[in-house]
Amino acid sequence: MVTPVTAPGSLGMSLVETLDRLVAFESVSASSNLALVDYVEALARASGAEIDRVPSETGEKAALWITLGPRDVPGYVLSGHSDVVPVAGQAWSSDPFRLTERDGRLYGRGTSDMKGFVAVCLALMPEMAAAGLARPIHIALSYDEEVGCLGVRPLIARMRARGPRPLGCFVGEPTEMGVVVGHKGKSAARLTFRGRACHSAMAPQGINAVEYAARFIDHVRLSAEGLARDGARDPLYDVPHTTGLCSVVRGGTALNIVPDACTVEFEYRAIAADDAGALAGAAIAYATEVLGAEMAARDPACGVAVEPLVDYPGLEIDPRADLALLAKRLAGRDHHAKVSYGTEAGLFQALGDVPAVVIGPGAMARAHKADEYVTRDELESCAAFVRRLIDVSR
């Protein structure tokens, strides 16, 4: 149990109490998020919000579009995702699905990424409802962000159908409340090389899937080295150039068998000057049109199969744009940054034509690992940001 920080005007509900409830939902991406969505919807309904539920194709998950204030004028979006990464194999000091406080730190899965931000938005809904907003504040809650930013896409489509187009979107990924004006785009795929097995003593009679996969891996490596050496630069990134790599390889069964199958997973992460999808597409073309064609020429049953894994656009907003300046004013900061990890902000910009920045409590360095946490000070800073947004929306 934790001692809550009371949020003024929140009908007795505190930020930490809300976070405690959110963390208790084991909303890993592989599971349904409907219990969490039901809870959030009940809170929104109690605040008099307008609610639009957007179910997934299977009906096992849902996104929410929550509106406080008038719906017929442009407003601002506070955007978060409901899913978290698994805890399997991680050595936690306490139950990851029970909020635990130690020395001002609130531990639990998703506290930084990004239920802390969502908790602030939900706890302050009563203040939004009581503010007499002239411009609406929307809360967007998606699913399956951690596995490719999937659930926000139909949510953005619903946003566009509802209209009017929002003035801007604040995506609450953990930035320690710094203003992030850019992130890299990503494209990733899994390739399966299908060869022909035989005894290794007769190796020339087989078609070695591992060796063909190795040629592809080297192709990606050389491409990445070229980008690092000669490619475009953006000094605001900690890695200031586009990157590419192969990160998962599975193939072969025994030393004395020419392998008939090998899978390779690879990715490109691109700064704005490059196109991750185009880079990945060129690598796939090499795999299928050069390597796969060579394999098929020896045996029509052999070749390369392609399975797309992740594809999302980068974010790039001028730091002098109105939304970026507003974010700095609300956060009380003058500086900005860019990050190499992806977020849903690029999709709001690309699919929704809505400018976006990334800003939220917590730190990405704490996410996806054991003993993830957010601090009380970070939650309070985020609450101050949202309260200032309420003030400018009156």
Side-chain angles (χ1 to χ4, degrees):
M1 296 297 292
V2 296
T3 303
V5 174
T6 300
S10 60
L11 304 180
M13 175 167 290
S14 80
L15 303 182
V16 178
E17 286 175 327
T18 308
L19 180 58
D20 188 25
R21 292 292 305 275
L22 292 175
V23 167
F25 293 103
E26 298 185 26
S27 55
V28 296
S29 303
S31 303
S32 171
N33 74 337
L34 293 182
L36 183 152
V37 167
D38 289 343
Y39 166 70
V40 172
E41 193 170 299
L43 289 182
R45 188 175 296 110
S47 294
E50 182 178 336
I51 304 163
D52 197 351
R53 182 184 286 223
V54 184
S56 66
E57 290 183 359
T58 65
E60 295 178 356
K61 300 181 181 182
L64 290 175
W65 182 262
I66 298 168
T67 300
L68 294 112
R71 65 162 294 174
D72 57 347
V73 295
Y76 294 99
V77 183
L78 298 168
S79 177
H81 59 82
S82 63
D83 57 318
V84 297
V85 297
V87 299
Q90 296 182 344
W92 282 74
S93 301
S94 54
D95 185 344
F97 295 106
R98 181 173 182 178
L99 196 66
T100 304
E101 182 171 16
R102 297 190 296 274
D103 300 322
R105 296 177 174 180
L106 299 162
Y107 292 88
R109 173 54 87 224
T111 46
S112 265
D113 185 18
M114 57 186 297
K115 290 181 175 179
F117 175 79
V118 175
V120 170
C121 297
L122 299 181
L124 297 187
M125 283 193 299
E127 293 186 36
M128 299 176 197
L133 298 175
R135 293 191 177 277
I137 295 177
H138 309 282
I139 299 173
L141 184 67
S142 69
Y143 58 87
D144 285 357
E145 187 273 348
E146 298 289 2
V147 292
C149 297
L150 304 180
V152 75
R153 299 169 196 255
L155 187 60
I156 291 172
R158 183 68 62 87
M159 175 197 77
R160 290 181 65 96
R162 286 172 54 96
R165 180 170 60 88
L167 298 170
C169 177
F170 303 101
V171 176
E173 293 283 359
T175 67
E176 298 179 90
M177 294 307 294
V179 178
V180 168
V181 297
H183 68 69
K184 293 183 178 181
K186 177 177 175 178
S187 185
R190 178 185 297 118
L191 304 188
T192 300
F193 292 80
R194 301 187 306 271
R196 184 173 65 205
C198 70
H199 194 290
S200 62
M202 308 298 291
Q205 296 181 7
I207 299 176
N208 193 321
V210 167
E211 291 183 353
Y212 275 99
R215 290 170 61 183
F216 173 77
I217 293 168
D218 198 46
H219 176 85
V220 173
R221 178 184 65 82
L222 290 172
S223 167
E225 288 179 357
L227 290 164
R229 183 183 60 250
D230 304 319
R233 291 289 189 276
D234 187 332
L236 282 181
Y237 285 104
D238 49 0
V239 179
H241 55 80
T242 295
T243 59
L245 80 158
C246 298
S247 52
V248 178
V249 183
R250 299 184 181 92
T253 55
L255 179 61
N256 61 353
I257 301 174
V258 172
D260 63 356
C262 186
T263 62
V264 179
E265 296 180 13
F266 79 102
E267 69 166 33
Y268 282 90
R269 293 179 184 261
I271 62 175
D274 296 319
D275 184 334
L279 289 164
I284 290 170
Y286 171 74
T288 56
E289 297 171 14
V290 177
L291 301 178
E294 186 177 315
M295 297 170 79
R298 297 176 60 190
D299 184 338
C302 299
V304 182
V306 180
E307 179 186 354
L309 294 178
V310 176
D311 187 19
Y312 58 73
L315 171 70
E316 187 77 14
I317 181 172
D318 189 328
R320 298 163 297 180
D322 288 346
L323 186 72
L325 295 176
L326 175 61
K328 293 176 184 180
R329 180 157 60 91
L330 299 180
R333 306 196 179 194
D334 292 327
H335 62 278
H336 55 269
K338 295 182 180 181
V339 294
S340 294
Y341 59 82
T343 80
E344 295 173 335
L347 286 161
F348 273 97
Q349 184 183 63
L351 300 183
D353 194 26
V354 175
V357 299
V358 185
I359 181 167
M364 193 57 77
R366 307 174 203 152
H368 295 204
K369 61 176 65 174
D371 291 345
E372 178 182 354
Y373 71 88
V374 69
T375 69
R376 286 177 173 265
D377 287 345
E378 288 167 341
L379 292 178
E380 291 167 349
S381 293
C382 184
F385 177 96
V386 175
R387 288 191 173 108
R388 293 181 190 121
L389 179 63
I390 293 172
D391 287 341
V392 301
S393 300
R394 293 178 190 272

